[in-house]
Amino acid sequence: MPDGVAEIPPATGPEPGPDRSAETPARHSGRSAETPARHSGRDEPLALATPDVATAVTYDDEERPARHLSGPVEAGVAVVAFAVALLVLWQVFRPLSQGSQFYLIVFLTGVLPLVFLAYRSGLRLPDRLASRLPAVGPRRVPDPDAPAAARRDLPTVPDWLLAGLALVVCLYPVLPVAIGDAGGGYDAFLDRQGLLVPVDVLMGALLLVLLIEACRRTTGWILPVVCLLFLGYGYYGGLLPQSWAIAHAGLDFGQIVDALYNSGSGFYGTPLDVAATYIVLFTIYGAVLDLSGAGRFFVDLSVAAFRRSRSAAGRTAVASGFLLGTVSGSGTATAVSVGAVTWPILRRAGYPAEHAGGMLAAAGVGAILSPPTLGAAAFIVAEYLEVSYLTVLGWAVIPTLLYYLGILLAVEIDARRFKVRPVEVAAGSAWRLLGRFGYHFSSLIVIVVLLAVGVSATRAVVYATGLAVLLSFLDRRSWLTPRRIFTALSAGVRGVFPVAAVCGAAGIITATTTKTGLGAQFASLLVRGAEALTDNPTVVLALTVVFAAVALSLLGLAVPVTASFIIGWVIIGPALLALGVPAPAAAMFVFYYSVLSEVTPPTALAAVGAAAITGGRTVPTMWQALKYALPAFLAPIAFVLTGPGEYLLGRGSPVEVLWAGLAGCLGVAALAVATGGWVLGVGPAGAVERSLSAVAGLLLLYLHPVSIAIGGTLVVVAVLAALARRRRTAGTRSVVAQEVDPVVPSARGGDDRHVEAGPDGADAQRSGPESAPVPADPGARGDDGSRVDDDTGPRGRGIGSSVGEDAK
């Protein structure tokens, strides 16, 4: 093996290769797909099989599971997707002369038909009707545990018909064929804007239905229902009482189709433009980076970096999530991929399944909040505000630091609360690993450097992709041969199918909002609702921000991140702008709350995926993820409440940015004490200390000199109270020890075990003559009163049995 690579057993999945897309995700039975090898003794290092990220079970923020195609259909879809990838790359350097909308029409023509072939309808006939119909062939949905030959999951006849219809409807605006007054090519189609003929209206209506169905297949029912509600509002809004704030003059069906089909704000608006220019290039880059071995390297580096320490297991999970997120771009997929590797370490260290799952979910979601590759919605932020992508990356730097500071502090606190144990992992030197495979960072650095010197984001990511291809030849296992390049380009385009469907359907929302003026009306309604409670401008802004945060959180429960941002920006953004909030702060506020739906109960997809890996209970895992991600919920509010909030986005002088960042860090630390119940370096925090810390954290994030001074004072009081509590506890233990056994000449207990003082005043750790571990009491409770008993059955082991059983 190359120098610096951990000596690990081979991964259970096959090596990454062109046939990867045909594999079926493994089922989970409450344990990771990768389990630690048996250990003959307590000190034997844990050997982990590091799976290829591409072969891990994949969940995506934007999509439902796709078909596992095979045979000629799989080959055909791959070829068409590869052709679309070539078109995308051509458009970067030689844009089509007919303009951007012409390119979007061609792009949607190549993508939309494939959605109906790659995704199942998910619809079933009623049992009474299905029993009367003759069987026409084998059932289409295969058993994932069946042999590969039996896993045929091919499109049905209706799927082929929908794909063919989508091809015709998407091509109609550019076909140079006259159909009476209709058709005639792209220029003739544009000339009829506002004066569509019946054939135009028919084609637009069909595309509307097809996009809604494609969105339903890829994301579920919620977003299509939202789109239909907006359509209904556009059509029937004229029937509302004109005294209502959201009433409008009304639109007929032809006007609605014209706005959707033949304008720059409908199907071919900014959302689809972003998907077809930025997002697809970054998904191709992620696929290439993954096949070049970067995902494997990032996880191995994280494991090797922290080695053996009390909180190494948690740090490894967080670092792996951050690094791997640059490849996947998906919070849920990152959480699942990292969990498959790090859950054995976390379990052996002693983390309860729900806490480990929450940590993995928060780390995964943090990856799409972090530079240099933010989530898909970040590109839409750049387009809406007409700024460079590098500017948006700069805005995200300090919030990212605050977010990961909060997670790392929570990891350190949990390591003490649960008295987790150091776990030694059989990994090579981090420095040797970095020296041998550190070149994987270079393409990420190149993106930032090229953006800084003025290269467009599209060209920068293409150059970085080419560099990743060249660097893959430094590792024989990851050579990107022509066949694997074909696979990467095809996989990159296939990864954007659900995003394209969402962005196309989101055009319904943006066009309806633009035509009816709903955004300004809703913004006025929101502000008036706050003004009805108070006339204080500061309180009105605070109430509006709270209402907006709640609305965005609820919206994110129902629709994917990209659609959530688009809807939030056109509906809630104007309300913030009307109150004087700067556009960058308002946009980033909406962006963060859209992304955080991934860890918001009751539909936190990242937490659901992490719970599938750890075997923990889903709802408690969601609440733990919420606890870890708390700074990300409060920092965006700081953006918009006060003028200095912009300093957290890097918009200010260096001194202003520095003091705001330090105040934010102190506020995050106070919130970590409040949620974790522990003061690092001191010991447990009681109810009083936690309450003081919670108030201090909120005051510090308000970023006003007076509130910062009060918040800092409360932090000091909370720390002093925790110190006093520690001294009282130490004195009580000393008195009890003297009463029970006043003479302890050899510092050994009655069971001949040595008693050592634990760190931070924690309970003493006992070790017998053979250093055998002492399992925790199954009914033990953490310092915050939460139960830390071990789970039995398929949900995995808790802290009371993990080391003892692993050592057998």
Side-chain angles (χ1 to χ4, degrees):
M1 297 180 66
D3 292 341
V5 177
E7 195 72 17
I8 54 178
T12 57
E15 283 294 314
D19 296 330
R20 184 183 68 191
S21 59
E23 296 171 9
T24 301
R27 284 183 173 178
H28 297 284
S29 59
R31 297 180 186 270
S32 156
E34 305 294 335
T35 55
R38 289 186 176 272
H39 301 277
S40 58
R42 180 190 179 193
D43 296 329
E44 182 178 347
L46 179 64
L48 291 176
T50 306
D52 180 43
V53 177
T55 60
V57 179
T58 302
Y59 297 76
D60 198 332
D61 316 47
E62 304 282 357
E63 68 176 283
R64 299 165 70 194
R67 281 189 172 104
H68 301 286
L69 300 174
S70 60
V73 177
E74 161 66 18
V77 170
V79 168
V80 175
F82 178 74
V84 173
L86 295 181
L87 170 66
V88 171
L89 295 174
W90 178 271
Q91 177 71 8
V92 172
F93 298 99
R94 300 289 298 273
L96 300 179
S97 59
Q98 294 89 342
S100 173
Q101 186 168 333
F102 184 90
Y103 164 68
L104 295 180
I105 292 173
V106 177
F107 175 82
L108 191 62
T109 301
V111 168
L112 186 59
L114 298 185
V115 172
F116 296 105
L117 302 180
Y119 287 83
R120 309 182 193 94
S121 69
L123 298 176
R124 294 181 57 188
L125 292 173
D127 293 339
R128 180 178 300 178
L129 179 60
S131 63
R132 298 179 180 178
L133 297 178
V136 294
R139 71 187 187 94
R140 296 292 183 178
V141 181
D143 181 1
D145 294 332
R151 280 195 254 123
R152 295 177 62 81
D153 189 13
L154 301 180
T156 62
V157 172
D159 294 330
W160 284 106
L161 292 177
L162 288 174
L165 182 61
L167 181 64
V168 173
V169 170
C170 290
L171 277 179
Y172 168 76
V174 298
L175 286 177
V177 178
I179 309 174
D181 295 335
Y186 181 61
D187 292 336
F189 178 73
L190 292 182
D191 291 339
R192 294 193 297 274
Q193 185 174 5
L195 300 170
L196 299 185
V197 298
V199 176
D200 296 334
V201 175
L202 174 62
M203 291 296 182
L206 289 175
L207 183 56
L208 169 64
V209 173
L210 290 170
L211 277 172
I212 290 178
E213 169 61 12
C215 187
R216 185 196 65 80
R217 290 187 178 214
T218 55
T219 65
W221 281 100
I222 302 298
L223 184 56
V225 170
V226 172
C227 292
L228 292 175
L229 290 175
F230 272 84
L231 285 173
Y233 169 74
Y235 189 76
Y236 293 106
L239 302 179
L240 296 174
Q242 293 302 305
S243 60
W244 290 15
I246 60 173
H248 62 88
L251 302 171
D252 61 35
F253 190 70
Q255 290 175 310
I256 293 175
V257 172
D258 180 74
L260 296 176
Y261 196 38
N262 201 350
S263 75
S265 63
F267 300 143
Y268 306 112
T270 299
L272 184 62
D273 189 15
V274 170
T277 53
Y278 296 103
I279 299 174
V280 66
L281 289 172
F282 273 84
T283 57
I284 291 173
Y285 169 65
V288 169
L289 202 62
D290 183 17
L291 283 179
S292 69
R296 184 195 306 271
F297 160 70
F298 290 152
V299 175
D300 286 347
L301 179 64
S302 300
V303 172
F306 299 106
R307 304 305 294 271
R308 182 183 176 91
S309 67
R310 172 190 287 268
S311 52
R315 295 175 189 170
T316 298
V318 174
S320 299
F322 173 73
L323 294 175
L324 197 59
T326 61
V327 178
S328 74
S330 164
T332 310
T334 301
V336 173
S337 299
V338 170
V341 179
T342 59
W343 167 233
I345 307 175
L346 295 169
R347 182 180 60 211
R348 192 181 181 197
Y351 281 95
E354 288 79 11
H355 287 75
M359 182 193 306
L360 293 170
V365 169
I368 57 176
L369 293 173
S370 308
T373 53
L374 298 174
F379 299 102
I380 302 178
V381 172
E383 286 295 306
Y384 279 161
L385 299 186
E386 298 180 349
V387 298
S388 69
Y389 182 60
L390 181 63
T391 302
V392 179
L393 294 183
W395 294 343
V397 170
I398 295 179
T400 297
L401 295 177
L402 296 178
Y403 181 76
Y404 277 99
L405 173 64
I407 293 181
L408 290 173
L409 288 174
V411 166
E412 297 294 331
I413 288 173
D414 283 352
R416 288 155 177 79
R417 283 178 54 207
F418 299 118
K419 302 177 179 62
V420 301
R421 296 166 289 271
V423 177
E424 184 175 353
V425 180
S429 166
W431 291 109
R432 295 178 62 188
L433 189 63
L434 189 61
R436 175 64 180 87
F437 297 104
Y439 59 82
H440 286 299
F441 286 111
S442 58
S443 61
L444 295 169
I445 297 172
V446 162
I447 291 178
V448 177
V449 171
L450 291 178
L451 290 174
V453 299
V455 178
S456 66
T458 53
R459 293 199 175 194
V461 70
V462 171
Y463 293 144
T465 303
L467 178 61
V469 171
L470 294 177
L471 294 177
S472 71
F473 290 96
L474 296 178
D475 182 4
R476 186 175 182 82
R477 300 173 303 169
S478 304
W479 284 3
L480 286 178
T481 60
R483 185 181 179 187
R484 300 186 78 196
I485 291 177
F486 172 88
T487 300
L489 294 179
S490 176
V493 171
R494 294 170 75 164
V496 86
F497 286 175
V499 180
V502 166
C503 289
I508 300 171
I509 298 168
T510 57
T512 303
T513 304
T514 302
K515 294 287 287 185
T516 61
L518 178 62
Q521 295 164 358
F522 187 85
S524 175
L525 189 64
L526 190 65
V527 174
R528 287 208 303 266
E531 290 176 341
L533 300 176
T534 178
D535 56 358
N536 186 300
T538 302
V539 180
V540 168
L541 175 60
L543 289 175
T544 304
V545 169
V546 172
F547 293 160
V550 172
L552 288 168
S553 298
L554 294 176
L555 179 65
L557 301 179
V559 299
V561 171
T562 306
S564 178
F565 173 79
I566 294 170
I567 299 172
W569 180 247
V570 300
I571 298 297
I572 295 175
L576 299 176
L577 298 176
L579 292 174
V581 176
M588 295 304 287
F589 173 85
V590 176
F591 169 73
Y592 274 91
Y593 270 94
S594 300
V595 173
L596 289 171
S597 63
E598 294 296 307
V599 290
T600 304
T603 59
L605 296 183
V608 171
I613 290 292
T614 64
R617 293 165 295 173
T618 302
V619 174
T621 300
M622 291 179 182
W623 289 114
Q624 291 301 321
L626 191 64
K627 180 197 77 172
Y628 280 101
L630 182 62
F633 282 91
L634 297 179
I637 295 179
F639 299 163
V640 297
L641 278 184
T642 60
E646 275 199 289
Y647 301 157
L648 293 180
L649 298 176
R651 292 171 53 84
S653 67
V655 174
E656 292 170 332
V657 172
L658 179 61
W659 74 255
L662 292 176
C665 290
L666 185 58
V668 168
L671 292 173
V673 172
T675 57
W678 197 282
V679 180
L680 293 175
V682 177
V688 174
E689 299 90 273
R690 296 176 73 169
S691 300
L692 290 173
S693 298
V695 174
L698 296 177
L699 290 173
L700 287 164
L701 288 177
Y702 187 69
L703 294 182
H704 187 278
V706 175
S707 65
I708 291 175
I710 298 174
T713 302
L714 291 179
V715 169
V716 173
V717 173
V719 172
L720 293 177
L723 279 170
R725 174 183 295 273
R726 176 181 177 178
R727 289 171 182 167
R728 289 196 305 269
T729 303
T732 302
R733 288 178 178 173
S734 176
V735 171
V736 171
Q738 291 179 7
E739 291 178 353
V740 174
D741 189 5
V743 180
V744 191
S746 61
R748 290 183 179 271
D751 57 353
D752 200 33
R753 290 189 177 130
H754 187 64
V755 180
E756 298 176 353
D760 293 328
D763 291 341
Q765 182 180 5
R766 296 179 176 86
S767 58
E770 299 177 0
S771 298
V774 179
D777 179 11
R781 295 184 178 268
D783 293 293
D784 62 347
S786 59
R787 190 174 178 85
V788 294
D789 54 342
D790 59 323
D791 295 330
T792 58
R795 291 189 349 194
R797 290 168 282 181
I799 69 168
S801 60
S802 58
V803 171
E805 294 186 13
D806 284 336
K808 291 181 181 179

